Coordinates of all heavy atoms in Angstrom, one line a residue:
M1 N 235.1 410.0 -1.9 CA 235.8 409.8 -3.2 C 235.4 411.0 -4.1 O 234.2 411.4 -4.2 CB 235.4 408.5 -3.8 CG 236.3 408.1 -4.9 SD 235.9 406.4 -5.6 CE 237.0 405.5 -4.5
S2 N 236.4 411.4 -4.9 CA 236.1 412.5 -5.8 C 235.4 412.0 -7.1 O 235.5 410.8 -7.4 CB 237.4 413.3 -6.2 OG 238.1 412.5 -7.1
I3 N 234.8 412.9 -7.8 CA 234.2 412.5 -9.1 C 235.2 412.0 -10.1 O 234.9 411.1 -10.8 CB 233.4 413.7 -9.7 CG1 232.4 413.1 -10.7 CG2 234.2 414.7 -10.2 CD1 231.3 414.1 -11.1
L4 N 236.4 412.5 -10.1 CA 237.5 412.0 -11.0 C 237.8 410.6 -10.6 O 238.0 409.7 -11.5 CB 238.7 412.9 -10.9 CG 238.6 414.2 -11.6 CD1 239.9 415.1 -11.3 CD2 238.3 414.1 -13.0
H5 N 237.9 410.2 -9.3 CA 238.1 408.9 -8.9 C 237.0 407.9 -9.4 O 237.2 406.8 -9.8 CB 238.3 408.7 -7.4 CG 239.7 409.2 -7.0 ND1 239.8 410.5 -6.4 CD2 240.9 408.7 -7.0 CE1 241.1 410.6 -6.1 NE2 241.8 409.6 -6.4
D6 N 235.8 408.4 -9.2 CA 234.6 407.7 -9.7 C 234.7 407.4 -11.2 O 234.4 406.3 -11.6 CB 233.3 408.4 -9.3 CG 233.0 408.4 -7.8 OD1 233.7 407.6 -7.1 OD2 232.2 409.2 -7.4
I7 N 235.0 408.4 -11.9 CA 235.1 408.3 -13.4 C 236.2 407.3 -13.8 O 236.0 406.4 -14.5 CB 235.3 409.7 -14.1 CG1 234.0 410.5 -13.9 CG2 235.7 409.5 -15.6 CD1 234.2 412.0 -14.4
Y8 N 237.3 407.5 -13.2 CA 238.5 406.6 -13.5 C 238.2 405.2 -13.1 O 238.5 404.3 -13.8 CB 239.7 407.1 -12.8 CG 241.0 406.3 -13.1 CD1 241.6 406.4 -14.3 CD2 241.4 405.4 -12.2 CE1 242.7 405.7 -14.6 CE2 242.5 404.6 -12.5 CZ 243.2 404.7 -13.7 OH 244.3 404.0 -14.0
G9 N 237.6 405.0 -12.0 CA 237.3 403.6 -11.5 C 236.1 403.0 -12.1 O 235.7 401.9 -11.8
G10 N 235.4 403.7 -12.9 CA 234.2 403.2 -13.6 C 232.9 403.2 -12.7 O 231.9 402.6 -13.0
G11 N 233.0 403.9 -11.6 CA 231.9 404.0 -10.7 C 230.9 405.2 -10.9 O 229.9 405.3 -10.3
Y12 N 231.3 406.0 -11.9 CA 230.5 407.2 -12.2 C 229.4 406.9 -13.2 O 229.7 406.3 -14.2 CB 231.4 408.4 -12.7 CG 230.6 409.6 -13.1 CD1 230.1 410.4 -12.1 CD2 230.3 409.9 -14.4 CE1 229.3 411.6 -12.5 CE2 229.6 411.0 -14.8 CZ 229.1 411.8 -13.8 OH 228.4 412.9 -14.2
A13 N 228.2 407.2 -12.9 CA 227.1 407.0 -13.8 C 226.4 408.4 -14.1 O 225.8 408.9 -13.1 CB 226.1 406.0 -13.3
P14 N 226.6 408.9 -15.3 CA 225.9 410.2 -15.5 C 224.4 410.1 -15.5 O 223.9 409.1 -15.7 CB 226.4 410.6 -16.9 CG 226.8 409.3 -17.6 CD 227.2 408.4 -16.4
G15 N 223.8 411.3 -15.2 CA 222.4 411.3 -15.2 C 221.9 411.3 -16.7 O 222.7 411.3 -17.6
E16 N 220.6 411.2 -16.8 CA 220.0 411.2 -18.2 C 220.4 412.4 -18.9 O 220.4 413.5 -18.4 CB 218.5 411.1 -18.1 CG 217.8 411.0 -19.4 CD 216.3 410.8 -19.3 OE1 215.8 410.4 -18.3 OE2 215.7 411.1 -20.3
S17 N 220.8 412.3 -20.1 CA 221.2 413.4 -21.0 C 220.0 414.4 -21.1 O 218.9 414.0 -21.4 CB 221.6 412.9 -22.3 OG 221.9 414.0 -23.2
L18 N 220.3 415.6 -20.9 CA 219.2 416.6 -21.1 C 219.0 417.0 -22.5 O 218.0 417.5 -22.9 CB 219.6 417.9 -20.3 CG 219.7 417.7 -18.8 CD1 220.2 419.0 -18.1 CD2 218.4 417.2 -18.2
E19 N 220.0 416.7 -23.4 CA 219.9 417.1 -24.8 C 219.4 415.9 -25.5 O 219.8 414.8 -25.4 CB 221.3 417.4 -25.3 CG 221.8 418.7 -24.7 CD 223.1 419.1 -25.4 OE1 223.3 418.9 -26.6 OE2 224.0 419.7 -24.7
R20 N 218.4 416.1 -26.3 CA 217.8 415.1 -27.2 C 218.0 415.6 -28.6 O 218.2 416.7 -28.9 CB 216.3 415.0 -26.9 CG 216.0 414.6 -25.5 CD 214.7 413.9 -25.4 NE 214.4 413.6 -24.0 CZ 214.8 412.5 -23.3 NH1 215.6 411.7 -23.9 NH2 214.4 412.3 -22.1
L21 N 217.9 414.6 -29.5 CA 218.0 414.9 -30.9 C 216.9 415.9 -31.3 O 215.8 415.7 -30.9 CB 217.9 413.7 -31.8 CG 219.1 412.7 -31.9 CD1 218.7 411.5 -32.7 CD2 220.3 413.4 -32.5
P22 N 217.2 416.9 -32.1 CA 216.1 417.7 -32.6 C 215.1 416.9 -33.4 O 215.5 415.8 -34.0 CB 216.8 418.7 -33.6 CG 218.3 418.6 -33.2 CD 218.5 417.3 -32.6
Q23 N 213.8 417.3 -33.3 CA 212.8 416.4 -33.9 C 213.0 416.1 -35.3 O 212.8 415.0 -35.7 CB 211.4 417.1 -33.7 CG 210.2 416.3 -34.1 CD 210.1 415.0 -33.2 OE1 210.3 415.1 -32.0 NE2 209.9 413.9 -33.8
D24 N 213.4 417.1 -36.1 CA 213.6 416.8 -37.6 C 214.7 415.8 -37.8 O 214.6 414.9 -38.7 CB 213.9 418.1 -38.4 CG 215.1 418.8 -37.9 OD1 215.5 418.7 -36.8 OD2 215.7 419.5 -38.8
L25 N 215.8 415.8 -37.0 CA 216.9 414.8 -37.1 C 216.4 413.5 -36.6 O 216.7 412.4 -37.2 CB 218.1 415.3 -36.3 CG 219.4 414.5 -36.5 CD1 219.8 414.4 -37.9 CD2 220.5 415.2 -35.7
S26 N 215.7 413.4 -35.6 CA 215.1 412.2 -35.1 C 214.2 411.5 -36.1 O 214.2 410.3 -36.3 CB 214.3 412.4 -33.8 OG 213.8 411.2 -33.3
D27 N 213.4 412.4 -36.7 CA 212.5 411.8 -37.8 C 213.3 411.2 -38.9 O 212.9 410.2 -39.4 CB 211.6 412.9 -38.3 CG 210.6 413.4 -37.3 OD1 210.3 412.7 -36.3 OD2 210.0 414.5 -37.5
K28 N 214.4 411.9 -39.3 CA 215.2 411.3 -40.4 C 215.9 410.0 -40.0 O 216.0 409.1 -40.8 CB 216.3 412.4 -40.8 CG 215.8 413.6 -41.5 CD 216.9 414.6 -41.7 CE 216.4 415.9 -42.3 NZ 217.4 416.9 -42.5
Y29 N 216.3 410.0 -38.7 CA 217.0 408.8 -38.2 C 216.0 407.6 -38.3 O 216.4 406.5 -38.8 CB 217.4 409.1 -36.8 CG 218.0 407.9 -36.1 CD1 219.4 407.7 -36.2 CD2 217.3 407.1 -35.2 CE1 220.0 406.6 -35.6 CE2 218.0 406.0 -34.5 CZ 219.3 405.8 -34.7 OH 219.9 404.8 -34.1
W30 N 214.8 407.8 -37.8 CA 213.8 406.7 -37.8 C 213.3 406.4 -39.2 O 212.9 405.2 -39.5 CB 212.7 406.9 -36.8 CG 213.3 406.8 -35.4 CD1 213.5 407.8 -34.5 CD2 213.8 405.6 -34.8 NE1 214.1 407.3 -33.4 CE2 214.3 406.0 -33.5 CE3 213.9 404.3 -35.1 CZ2 214.9 405.1 -32.6 CZ3 214.5 403.4 -34.3 CH2 215.0 403.8 -33.0
A31 N 213.2 407.4 -40.0 CA 212.8 407.1 -41.4 C 213.7 406.2 -42.1 O 213.3 405.4 -42.9 CB 212.6 408.5 -42.2
F32 N 215.0 406.4 -41.8 CA 216.0 405.5 -42.4 C 215.7 404.0 -42.0 O 215.7 403.1 -42.9 CB 217.4 405.9 -41.9 CG 218.5 404.8 -42.2 CD1 219.0 404.7 -43.5 CD2 218.9 404.0 -41.2 CE1 220.0 403.7 -43.7 CE2 219.9 403.0 -41.5 CZ 220.4 402.9 -42.7
F33 N 215.5 403.8 -40.8 CA 215.2 402.4 -40.3 C 213.9 401.9 -40.9 O 213.8 400.7 -41.2 CB 215.2 402.3 -38.8 CG 216.6 402.3 -38.3 CD1 217.1 403.4 -37.6 CD2 217.5 401.3 -38.5 CE1 218.4 403.5 -37.1 CE2 218.8 401.3 -38.0 CZ 219.2 402.5 -37.3
E34 N 212.9 402.7 -41.1 CA 211.6 402.3 -41.7 C 211.9 401.9 -43.1 O 211.3 400.9 -43.6 CB 210.6 403.4 -41.6 CG 210.1 403.7 -40.2 CD 209.2 404.9 -40.1 OE1 208.9 405.6 -41.1 OE2 208.9 405.3 -39.0
E35 N 212.7 402.6 -43.8 CA 213.0 402.3 -45.2 C 213.8 401.0 -45.3 O 213.6 400.2 -46.2 CB 213.8 403.4 -45.9 CG 214.0 403.3 -47.3 CD 212.7 403.4 -48.1 OE1 211.8 404.1 -47.7 OE2 212.7 402.8 -49.2
V36 N 214.8 400.8 -44.4 CA 215.5 399.6 -44.4 C 214.6 398.4 -44.1 O 214.7 397.3 -44.7 CB 216.7 399.6 -43.3 CG1 217.3 398.2 -43.1 CG2 217.7 400.6 -43.7
E37 N 213.7 398.6 -43.1 CA 212.7 397.5 -42.8 C 211.9 397.2 -44.1 O 211.7 396.0 -44.3 CB 211.8 397.9 -41.7 CG 210.8 396.8 -41.3 CD 209.9 397.2 -40.1 OE1 210.2 398.2 -39.4 OE2 208.9 396.6 -39.9
K38 N 211.4 398.2 -44.8 CA 210.6 397.9 -46.0 C 211.4 397.2 -47.0 O 210.9 396.3 -47.7 CB 210.1 399.2 -46.6 CG 208.9 399.8 -45.9 CD 208.4 401.0 -46.7 CE 208.4 402.2 -45.9 NZ 208.0 403.4 -46.6
T39 N 212.7 397.6 -47.2 CA 213.5 397.0 -48.2 C 214.1 395.6 -47.9 O 214.1 394.7 -48.7 CB 214.7 398.0 -48.6 OG1 214.1 399.2 -48.9 CG2 215.5 397.5 -49.7
M40 N 214.6 395.6 -46.7 CA 215.4 394.4 -46.2 C 214.6 393.4 -45.3 O 214.9 392.3 -45.2 CB 216.7 394.8 -45.5 CG 217.6 395.7 -46.3 SD 218.3 395.0 -47.7 CE 219.5 393.9 -46.9
G41 N 213.6 394.0 -44.7 CA 212.7 393.1 -43.8 C 213.1 393.3 -42.4 O 214.2 393.7 -42.0
L42 N 212.1 393.1 -41.5 CA 212.3 393.3 -40.0 C 213.4 392.3 -39.5 O 214.2 392.7 -38.6 CB 211.0 393.0 -39.3 CG 211.0 393.2 -37.8 CD1 211.5 394.7 -37.5 CD2 209.7 393.0 -37.2
E43 N 213.5 391.1 -40.0 CA 214.4 390.1 -39.6 C 215.9 390.7 -39.8 O 216.7 390.5 -38.9 CB 214.3 388.8 -40.4 CG 215.2 387.7 -39.9 CD 215.1 386.4 -40.7 OE1 213.9 386.1 -41.0 OE2 216.1 385.9 -41.0
F44 N 216.1 391.3 -40.9 CA 217.4 391.9 -41.1 C 217.8 392.9 -40.0 O 218.9 392.9 -39.5 CB 217.4 392.6 -42.5 CG 218.7 393.3 -42.8 CD1 219.8 392.6 -43.3 CD2 218.9 394.7 -42.6 CE1 221.0 393.2 -43.6 CE2 220.1 395.3 -42.9 CZ 221.1 394.6 -43.4
I45 N 216.9 393.8 -39.7 CA 217.1 394.8 -38.6 C 217.3 394.1 -37.3 O 218.3 394.5 -36.6 CB 215.9 395.8 -38.5 CG1 215.9 396.7 -39.8 CG2 216.1 396.7 -37.3 CD1 214.8 397.7 -39.8
E46 N 216.5 393.2 -37.0 CA 216.7 392.5 -35.7 C 218.0 391.8 -35.6 O 218.6 391.7 -34.5 CB 215.5 391.5 -35.5 CG 214.2 392.1 -35.2 CD 213.0 391.2 -35.2 OE1 213.1 390.0 -35.6 OE2 212.0 391.6 -34.7
R47 N 218.5 391.2 -36.7 CA 219.8 390.5 -36.7 C 220.9 391.5 -36.4 O 221.9 391.1 -35.8 CB 220.0 389.9 -38.1 CG 219.9 388.4 -38.1 CD 220.4 387.7 -39.3 NE 220.7 388.5 -40.5 CZ 219.9 388.5 -41.6 NH1 218.8 387.7 -41.6 NH2 220.2 389.2 -42.6
H48 N 220.8 392.7 -36.9 CA 221.9 393.7 -36.8 C 221.7 394.8 -35.7 O 222.6 395.6 -35.5 CB 222.1 394.3 -38.2 CG 222.5 393.3 -39.2 ND1 223.8 392.8 -39.2 CD2 221.8 392.7 -40.2 CE1 223.9 391.9 -40.2 NE2 222.7 391.9 -40.8
W49 N 220.6 394.8 -35.1 CA 220.3 395.9 -34.1 C 221.3 396.0 -33.0 O 221.8 397.1 -32.7 CB 218.9 395.8 -33.6 CG 218.4 397.0 -32.8 CD1 218.3 397.0 -31.4 CD2 218.1 398.3 -33.3 NE1 217.9 398.3 -31.1 CE2 217.8 399.1 -32.2 CE3 218.0 398.8 -34.5 CZ2 217.4 400.4 -32.3 CZ3 217.7 400.1 -34.7 CH2 217.4 400.9 -33.5
D50 N 221.6 394.9 -32.4 CA 222.5 394.9 -31.3 C 223.9 395.5 -31.7 O 224.6 396.2 -30.9 CB 222.7 393.5 -30.6 CG 221.5 393.1 -29.9 OD1 220.6 394.0 -29.5 OD2 221.3 391.9 -29.6
N51 N 224.3 395.1 -32.9 CA 225.6 395.6 -33.4 C 225.6 397.1 -33.6 O 226.6 397.8 -33.4 CB 226.0 394.9 -34.7 CG 226.3 393.4 -34.4 OD1 226.7 393.0 -33.4 ND2 226.1 392.6 -35.5
L52 N 224.4 397.6 -34.1 CA 224.3 399.1 -34.3 C 224.4 399.8 -33.0 O 225.0 400.8 -32.9 CB 223.0 399.4 -35.0 CG 222.9 398.9 -36.5 CD1 221.4 399.1 -36.9 CD2 223.8 399.8 -37.3
I53 N 223.7 399.2 -32.0 CA 223.7 399.9 -30.6 C 225.1 399.8 -30.1 O 225.6 400.8 -29.5 CB 222.7 399.1 -29.7 CG1 221.3 399.3 -30.2 CG2 222.9 399.6 -28.3 CD1 220.8 400.7 -30.3
E54 N 225.8 398.7 -30.2 CA 227.2 398.6 -29.7 C 228.1 399.6 -30.4 O 228.9 400.3 -29.7 CB 227.7 397.2 -30.0 CG 229.1 396.9 -29.4 CD 229.6 395.5 -29.6 OE1 228.8 394.7 -30.0 OE2 230.8 395.3 -29.3
A55 N 228.0 399.8 -31.7 CA 228.8 400.8 -32.4 C 228.5 402.2 -31.9 O 229.4 403.0 -31.7 CB 228.6 400.7 -33.9
D56 N 227.2 402.5 -31.7 CA 226.8 403.8 -31.2 C 227.3 404.1 -29.8 O 227.9 405.2 -29.5 CB 225.3 403.9 -31.2 CG 224.8 405.3 -30.9 OD1 225.3 406.3 -31.6 OD2 223.9 405.5 -30.1
L57 N 227.3 403.1 -28.9 CA 227.8 403.2 -27.6 C 229.4 403.4 -27.6 O 229.9 404.2 -26.8 CB 227.5 402.0 -26.7 CG 226.0 401.9 -26.3 CD1 225.8 400.6 -25.6 CD2 225.6 403.1 -25.4
Y58 N 230.0 402.7 -28.5 CA 231.5 402.9 -28.6 C 231.8 404.3 -29.1 O 232.7 404.9 -28.5 CB 232.0 401.9 -29.7 CG 233.5 402.0 -29.9 CD1 234.4 401.4 -29.0 CD2 234.0 402.8 -30.9 CE1 235.8 401.6 -29.1 CE2 235.4 403.0 -31.0 CZ 236.3 402.3 -30.2 OH 237.6 402.5 -30.3
R59 N 231.1 404.8 -30.0 CA 231.3 406.2 -30.5 C 231.1 407.2 -29.3 O 231.8 408.1 -29.2 CB 230.5 406.6 -31.7 CG 231.0 406.0 -33.0 CD 230.3 406.6 -34.2 NE 228.9 406.2 -34.2 CZ 228.4 405.2 -34.9 NH1 229.2 404.4 -35.5 NH2 227.1 404.9 -34.9
S60 N 230.1 407.0 -28.6 CA 229.8 407.8 -27.4 C 230.9 407.8 -26.4 O 231.3 408.9 -25.9 CB 228.4 407.5 -26.8 OG 227.4 407.7 -27.7
R61 N 231.4 406.6 -26.1 CA 232.5 406.5 -25.1 C 233.7 407.1 -25.7 O 234.4 407.8 -24.9 CB 232.7 405.0 -24.7 CG 231.6 404.5 -23.8 CD 232.1 403.1 -23.3 NE 232.2 402.1 -24.3 CZ 231.3 401.3 -24.7 NH1 230.1 401.3 -24.1 NH2 231.5 400.4 -25.6
A62 N 234.0 406.9 -26.9 CA 235.2 407.5 -27.5 C 235.1 409.1 -27.5 O 236.1 409.7 -27.2 CB 235.4 407.0 -29.0
S63 N 234.0 409.6 -27.8 CA 233.8 411.0 -27.8 C 233.9 411.6 -26.3 O 234.5 412.6 -26.1 CB 232.4 411.4 -28.3 OG 232.3 411.1 -29.6
F64 N 233.4 410.8 -25.4 CA 233.6 411.3 -24.0 C 235.0 411.3 -23.6 O 235.5 412.2 -23.0 CB 232.8 410.3 -23.0 CG 233.1 410.6 -21.6 CD1 232.5 411.6 -20.9 CD2 234.0 409.8 -20.9 CE1 232.8 411.9 -19.6 CE2 234.3 410.0 -19.6 CZ 233.7 411.1 -18.9
R65 N 235.7 410.2 -23.9 CA 237.2 410.1 -23.6 C 237.9 411.3 -24.2 O 238.8 411.9 -23.5 CB 237.8 408.8 -24.0 CG 237.5 407.6 -23.1 CD 238.3 406.4 -23.4 NE 238.3 406.0 -24.8 CZ 237.4 405.1 -25.3 NH1 236.6 404.5 -24.5 NH2 237.5 404.8 -26.6
E66 N 237.7 411.6 -25.5 CA 238.4 412.6 -26.1 C 238.0 414.0 -25.5 O 238.9 414.8 -25.3 CB 238.0 412.7 -27.6 CG 238.8 413.7 -28.4 CD 240.3 413.6 -28.3 OE1 240.8 412.5 -28.2 OE2 241.0 414.6 -28.4
G67 N 236.8 414.2 -25.2 CA 236.4 415.4 -24.5 C 237.0 415.6 -23.1 O 237.5 416.6 -22.7
F68 N 237.1 414.4 -22.4 CA 237.7 414.5 -21.1 C 239.2 414.8 -21.2 O 239.8 415.6 -20.4 CB 237.5 413.1 -20.4 CG 238.0 413.1 -18.9 CD1 237.1 413.5 -18.0 CD2 239.2 412.7 -18.6 CE1 237.5 413.5 -16.6 CE2 239.6 412.7 -17.3 CZ 238.7 413.1 -16.3
R69 N 239.9 414.1 -22.2 CA 241.3 414.4 -22.4 C 241.5 415.9 -22.7 O 242.5 416.5 -22.2 CB 241.9 413.5 -23.5 CG 242.1 412.1 -23.1 CD 242.7 411.3 -24.2 NE 242.7 409.9 -23.9 CZ 242.2 409.0 -24.7 NH1 241.6 409.3 -25.8 NH2 242.2 407.7 -24.3
L70 N 240.7 416.4 -23.6 CA 240.8 417.8 -24.0 C 240.6 418.7 -22.7 O 241.4 419.6 -22.5 CB 239.8 418.2 -25.0 CG 239.7 419.7 -25.4 CD1 241.0 420.1 -26.0 CD2 238.6 419.9 -26.4
G71 N 239.6 418.4 -22.0 CA 239.4 419.3 -20.7 C 240.5 419.2 -19.8 O 241.0 420.2 -19.2
A72 N 241.1 418.0 -19.6 CA 242.2 417.8 -18.7 C 243.5 418.6 -19.2 O 244.2 419.2 -18.5 CB 242.5 416.3 -18.5
S73 N 243.7 418.5 -20.5 CA 244.8 419.2 -21.1 C 244.7 420.7 -21.0 O 245.7 421.3 -20.7 CB 244.9 418.8 -22.6 OG 245.2 417.4 -22.8
L74 N 243.5 421.2 -21.2 CA 243.3 422.6 -21.0 C 243.5 423.0 -19.6 O 244.1 424.1 -19.3 CB 241.9 423.0 -21.5 CG 241.6 422.9 -23.0 CD1 240.1 423.1 -23.3 CD2 242.4 423.9 -23.7
M75 N 243.1 422.3 -18.6 CA 243.3 422.6 -17.2 C 244.8 422.6 -16.9 O 245.3 423.4 -16.2 CB 242.5 421.7 -16.3 CG 241.0 421.9 -16.3 SD 240.1 421.0 -15.1 CE 240.0 419.4 -15.9
L76 N 245.5 421.6 -17.4 CA 246.9 421.5 -17.2 C 247.7 422.7 -17.8 O 248.7 423.1 -17.2 CB 247.5 420.2 -17.7 CG 247.1 418.9 -16.9 CD1 247.5 417.7 -17.6 CD2 247.7 419.0 -15.5
E77 N 247.2 423.2 -18.9 CA 247.9 424.3 -19.5 C 247.7 425.6 -18.6 O 248.6 426.5 -18.6 CB 247.3 424.6 -20.9 CG 247.9 423.8 -21.9 CD 247.4 424.2 -23.3 OE1 247.0 425.4 -23.5 OE2 247.5 423.4 -24.2
L78 N 246.7 425.6 -17.8 CA 246.5 426.8 -16.9 C 247.4 426.7 -15.7 O 247.7 427.8 -15.1 CB 245.0 426.8 -16.4 CG 244.0 427.1 -17.4 CD1 242.6 426.9 -16.8 CD2 244.1 428.5 -17.9
L79 N 248.0 425.6 -15.4 CA 248.9 425.5 -14.3 C 250.2 426.0 -14.6 O 251.0 426.4 -14.9 CB 249.0 424.0 -13.8 CG 247.7 423.4 -13.3 CD1 248.0 421.9 -13.0 CD2 247.2 424.1 -12.1

């Protein structure tokens, strides 16, 4: 089976991303949650953490789909 069939059929699992957030951006990201925890409490974060993760995954999938469509469109233009 081709990789396109795997992707379309939901059987493709990419390897671990080689790109990580730059350290300064990662520090800012976690500093935000530390501030929220101080202000709102750990219970607040725990109540909303799964929703934050779900939203992040949705954005990642949407970005992937858009990138895939762009790549396919560019390849079709070459034909």
Side-chain angles (χ1 to χ4, degrees):
M1 188 177 275
S2 75
I3 196 164
L4 288 176
H5 284 101
D6 290 345
I7 291 170
Y8 182 78
Y12 175 77
E16 183 178 337
S17 176
L18 298 177
E19 293 184 32
R20 301 203 184 277
L21 285 176
Q23 188 62 46
D24 62 331
L25 187 56
S26 180
D27 292 344
K28 290 176 186 178
Y29 179 83
W30 291 110
F32 167 78
F33 286 108
E34 289 171 7
E35 189 66 29
V36 169
E37 182 180 344
K38 281 189 242 176
T39 306
M40 305 292 287
L42 183 59
E43 183 181 319
F44 178 83
I45 291 177
E46 288 174 345
R47 256 194 341 256
H48 297 285
W49 188 254
D50 289 340
N51 295 332
L52 291 170
I53 297 298
E54 185 179 349
D56 189 48
L57 289 173
Y58 178 84
R59 281 192 294 271
S60 294
R61 285 191 297 266
S63 295
F64 170 79
R65 281 194 306 268
E66 183 59 30
F68 189 87
R69 285 185 189 124
L70 175 62
S73 296
L74 290 169
M75 286 187 283
L76 288 172
E77 280 188 20
L78 291 173
L79 298 176

